[in-house]
Amino acid sequence: MSLVFAGVCSHGPGITARSERAAPESKLKIDAAYARMREAIRAARPDALLVVSAEHFANFFMNNMPSFAVGMADYYDGPIEDPEWLRIPRRRVPGAKALARELLATMMQDVDVAFCEEWKFDHGMMVPLHLLLPDNDLPVIPVNINCQAAPLPPLARVHALGQAIRKACDASDKRIAVLGTGGISHWPCTPDSGRINADWDREFLARWARNERSALLDYTDADTYRDGGQGGFEIRTYIAVAAAAAECQGEIWCYEPVPAFACGCTVAAMSMA
Ligand SMILES: [Fe+2]
């Protein structure tokens, strides 16, 4: 089969941990957008959800930092954070080990990726999964892009990763949904936490929706750090999804800057042909 859904969303822990601190009208829009995506994923009838996220020193550390990693396990436990703080109960997320291995074999034709048989999910995975798969009833294949520790993978290589994901989906007889989670501008765990550069975010989302490769890759890490903070490096997850759906254009379902969530809350999807 192939790719049956491609979308992106925010994963800031404040979305669940401090949900009541958004303005009521923003909260309504954000909740409605996640609900819309929940239904869109269900309507696409996927066999698995491949989640491209930016891990945050929960599994990968400076002793060994892969640019790209794919989970190949029977299950994943999360959240690694305090469930009471994150307001997400711990659960065991089903994996898709055989399918992950199959996809990896195709991806490796074009991109070098690490693979992992152990992986604990942090908020980067668990906030979207909690909101989008409340019944925990769809196998998940995690993909991590190093958005954390320099040297970061170049955006062109991230785009190539997305193309490799698509090629692997096309080669599989399974129906696969792809979700990118992260960014856009944010300054987590710094004195600037809560700062949001909405203009920069909107410009990036416009480029994402046009799915114009050259415009998406036209960011230097120095520019991103200046305009989008260190959290802005997570644009990589969105770029990978855009590359996986290269022939599609996107639609922004929600963009609500919420300082209490420390991010511009984004939910967006590619229009699948
Ligand atoms: Fe993040």
Side-chain angles (χ1 to χ4, degrees):
M1 203 36 212
S2 183
L3 189 68
V4 295
F5 174 87
V8 295
C9 69
S10 300
H11 67 218
I15 296 168
T16 53
R18 302 181 290 277
S19 61
E20 72 284 357
R21 287 172 60 181
E25 58 272 22
S26 288
K27 182 80 169 63
L28 282 172
K29 290 179 187 171
I30 294 164
D31 288 350
Y34 277 104
R36 181 178 175 185
M37 183 169 278
R38 186 162 60 238
E39 289 310 309
I41 292 172
R42 186 173 299 278
R45 295 181 291 108
D47 296 305
L49 177 65
L50 186 147
V51 184
V52 183
S53 188
E55 213 259 356
H56 313 85
F57 285 136
N59 293 276
F60 307 108
F61 303 95
M62 298 310 286
N63 63 333
N64 190 352
M65 179 60 74
S67 291
F68 310 126
V70 177
M72 195 176 73
D74 289 322
Y75 61 83
Y76 307 93
D77 291 333
I80 198 168
E81 294 91 348
D82 178 0
E84 290 188 17
W85 171 76
L86 193 56
R87 298 184 188 168
I88 296 179
R90 286 226 165 88
R91 65 167 146 175
R92 179 156 284 186
V93 177
K97 185 172 186 174
L99 178 58
R101 184 170 181 144
E102 176 195 328
L103 298 180
L104 270 160
T106 306
M107 292 169 65
M108 283 177 163
Q109 300 294 328
D110 300 308
V111 180
D112 295 321
V113 290
F115 54 85
C116 315
E117 292 191 342
E118 296 178 15
W119 192 320
K120 296 236 183 316
F121 282 179
D122 70 8
H123 65 272
M125 294 283 173
M126 292 308 297
V127 168
L129 292 179
H130 175 72
L131 297 171
L132 299 173
L133 298 179
D135 296 331
N136 200 26
D137 55 355
L138 186 64
V140 169
I141 298 172
V143 176
N144 181 62
I145 298 176
N146 170 27
C147 302
Q148 188 89 17
L152 304 175
L155 299 188
R157 298 303 296 157
V158 170
H159 200 274
L161 172 73
Q163 290 178 313
I165 289 171
R166 174 55 178 272
K167 188 172 168 183
C169 291
D170 286 345
S172 173
D173 63 0
K174 301 295 187 192
R175 300 174 64 86
I176 299 166
V178 173
L179 175 72
T181 88
I184 312 166
S185 70
H186 59 308
W187 284 257
C189 306
T190 74
D192 287 331
S193 182
R195 179 181 165 197
I196 297 165
N197 186 344
D199 290 341
W200 190 80
D201 288 352
R202 290 194 171 98
E203 170 60 25
F204 175 79
L205 286 175
R207 297 183 192 199
W208 187 85
R210 291 199 306 274
N211 206 350
E212 190 182 328
R213 181 181 185 277
S214 59
L216 281 170
L217 302 194
D218 191 26
Y219 290 88
T220 67
D221 284 340
D223 289 347
T224 297
Y225 185 71
R226 179 194 65 212
D227 298 329
Q230 91 278 17
F233 295 142
E234 293 183 350
I235 59 173
R236 284 167 171 77
T237 63
Y238 288 30
I239 290 172
V241 170
E247 79 281 18
C248 302
Q249 304 243 302
E251 188 182 359
I252 312 305
W253 292 355
C254 175
Y255 177 76
E256 287 292 313
V258 181
F261 294 175
C263 66
C265 238
T266 305
V267 180
M270 290 293 178
S271 304
M272 306 303 290

